[in-house]
Amino acid sequence: MSRAPALRRVPRRLVAAAVAACALTVTAVAPRAAAEDSRPYTETYRPQFHFSPAENWLNDPNGLVWYQGEYHLFYQYNPNGSTWGDMSWGHAVSKDLVRWQELPLAIPHDDREMVFSGSAVVDHDNTTGFGTRTNPAMVAVYTSHHKDSGKQAQSLAYSTDRGRTWTKYAGNPVLDIGSKEFRDPKVQWYAPTKSWLMTVSLSTERKVRFYSSKDLKSWTHLSDFGPQGAVGGVWECPDLFPLPVDGDPTRTKWVLVVNINPGGIAGGSAAQYFVGDFDGTTFTPDDDGSYTPPAGVVMQDFEGAGYGDWRTTGTAFGSGPAAPAPDPSGTNGFEGRGLVDSFHGDDAETGTLTSAPFTVSSPYLNFKVGGGRHPHVPGSVTGASPAPAGEVLADFEQDTYGSWTATGTAFGTGPARGTLPGQHPVSGHAGTGLVNTFLGGDASTGTLTSPEFTLSAKHLNLLVGGGDHPSGSDAPTAVRLVVDGETVRSATGTDSESLNWVSWDLSDLAGRTARIEVVDQNTGGWGHILLDQVMLSDTPARPRSTETAVNLLVDGEVVHSATGADSGTLDWASFDLRAHQGKQAVIQIVDMNTAGWGHIMADHFVAADRPARSRLERADWVDHGKDYYAAVSWEDSPDGKRHMIGWMNNWQYGDDVPTSPWRGAQSIPREMALRTVGGRIRLTQQPVSTVASLRGPLTGVRNTSIAEGSVPLAAGRADGKALDIRATFTLAGAERFGFKVRTGRGQETVIGYDRETQELYVDRTRSGAVDFHRDFPGVQRAPLTPRNGRIELRILVDWSSVEVFGGRGEAVITDQIFPGPDSDGIRLFAEGGTARLDSADVWQMRSYRG
């Protein structure tokens, strides 16, 4: 995965996608052997029954195949560090899918290529000639990422000693279409045609392509599928496999899994799926993707020459609706001929478009929205936001830093004068000078430290921009307030060259002596920090709006807001108006952003009785959590079952999770099935049954009434940091109920059920370390309909994760958590009434490493 560096220009309305296992060029370093399994594996966040490498970076699972009694797990691996880079294939094996032995590096990167994601097969018929029929070769089909050109093509490597040593095929690549976005081949034997079948992604086109081969070397194009379903990011790591429906072997459907980043249901990375038929050439989904939104009263369709009684400010919206052609402009998904579009050749213009006031009388307001992903920030100011009166500590208008001390190469000898060479335009600073560590690009690092000063006001205000790498991460780009050697406040940019106000409340630090440290330790994309106008004031500065949003205002306050997805495709959105019936409201479309994707598109506002559903909401998701990506399945499992595993992380913050000396873990392997749920065929999953072999002591609880509030489960006898929980609740009076796990010292991870919305949810906003990235805290939800008035849960809790399986596995949420080692409590809770626990069995879980 690569974050776009600050000097990179983003084409108009091309998704600025984070790309798993893609376009960074790095220096080849000789791989190190994997660490010995004798490591203690007792680090604070070390998974105990999920696979993680002894050290260094891990992401996508690759090459999943069973051979001679071993399940092989290859994976994207950096042998030289704990952040993404030097992509190679790591290797582990297991006899039962839960106890893993880490092996030495399998397929290393070299001076020419990085070894990106792919799959492995056993060539039993020796179609390649790499082995023999008595000793067939294990063949890896992987994506070669060419370091000199960025081109991606499919290549082979083979092993004749059960995957322990590998040889790259001299005829590589075997499939090259001249693309930089062509990756992640999943290969399997397709018996009806006695040939190999490859499923591979055309990532930025949001397509999956199918190829056929007799020998893994020469490939014939069969067909393409897509775009369909969720398309808010690049498509990666596809997988195609058959499954019986409801266990009936005479009724088989095919499942196509397509991982997407960003644009997942919970934000960032995710895995979606399609159910349909495959005839050896073409995949045809049961759902063709068509959608008719609820009918209603059209409030504004933007089909006229002007905006009617809607008012404009600024220059972003012109004198009337736009009328772009669907192709080749990249704009699509609008209704009729006209729409609101604040893009006028570039993103420099700003303004607002506001409806006439209206009385809220319908339950929902449905509309279409597209353009930039820049959400509304509560409390922000539309337009200029001047600094409050106060004492300026530094304005960086001089030629030098004066009494501030610089180290390293990032800060130079004095403040920058605006934008530096190769950088997108810098804006939002005061005057002409500022701190700007994009000196020579993002490779430079260093610190800038102020002299000590007394915290003599209620607030410290400062303008901050640049990269989003928080203070607690391995490679921060941050501004810190340090008191007695301890960082007590910190701020970072938002991956933007526009500086904005940050205000720190100093009420608990009054009179203390402090200093400011500006830190740039990041050499990757957005690896720089911007700072200006540091001042003490009794009034907090309010951030300037940088939103591209559609807002609903009631009594002058924004009560609902929607933004685009960094896409030229407009999609349905809906505001729930039921709490605002009879009130006066206005719709305001806002463009206050001048950076990349700094525009908004909107169309077709309809007052309706039911909400419209976006493509994101209509898509089928393998997992509704934040941390399940690059999900692929094993080939040739001896029991005939389909087992799947995913990378337990998210590209939004993957480089920043607070683990060491490793970074990255895999989910628990899962047994997949197709079941009819609510009249629809759904992909369901449960942890592999062999997880039970790691169970320790059991605590059982039966027939318990839970009053409003929370209580320890079994008086604390079930507490633990690694647990396997099975529970059944009967719906009673409570609005929400469930478990709180890993509790202690103000920390908790809430795993609950919302009776009104019929949703399973995980709330990790207080789960320990959550401040290392702004996209980490949050609540993830999955729809779950009660069965016979009951909710059934299976929960796996590990030292840094929770995996929640609701019902018969139709609702799954996987989330990382980073609680303190002393937070090991488990509690029952109920809100809005009394809940009823029928049964709970809680097992303490042992480490698979013994």
Side-chain angles (χ1 to χ4, degrees), residues 233-296:
V234 294
W235 279 16
E236 298 183 315
C237 302
D239 195 5
L240 178 71
F241 51 86
L243 284 174
V245 178
D246 296 324
D248 183 354
T250 67
R251 187 183 175 208
T252 296
K253 285 286 186 179
W254 287 76
V255 179
L256 176 62
V257 174
V258 180
N259 292 270
I260 181 173
N261 177 65
I265 184 63
S269 313
Q272 65 177 319
Y273 71 92
F274 305 87
V275 176
D277 298 307
F278 182 72
D279 62 5
T281 300
T282 303
F283 175 78
T284 304
D286 292 346
D287 182 350
D288 65 5
S290 60
Y291 177 65
T292 301

Side-chain angles (χ1 to χ4, degrees), residues 52 76 481 606 738:
S52 60
Q76 291 285 279
L481 182 67
V606 179

Side-chain angles (χ1 to χ4, degrees), residues 103-136:
L103 297 178
L105 190 68
I107 310 176
H109 75 105
D110 56 32
D111 291 338
R112 185 182 65 86
E113 69 175 13
M114 284 195 281
V115 182
F116 280 4
S117 294
S119 53
V121 296
V122 178
D123 187 12
H124 292 285
D125 294 333
N126 198 30
T127 64
T128 58
F130 293 154
T132 66
R133 286 183 179 272
T134 57
N135 184 30

Side-chain angles (χ1 to χ4, degrees), residues 137-148:
M138 185 182 294
V139 182
V141 188
Y142 66 90
T143 296
S144 292
H145 171 76
H146 295 272
K147 294 181 177 180
D148 57 350

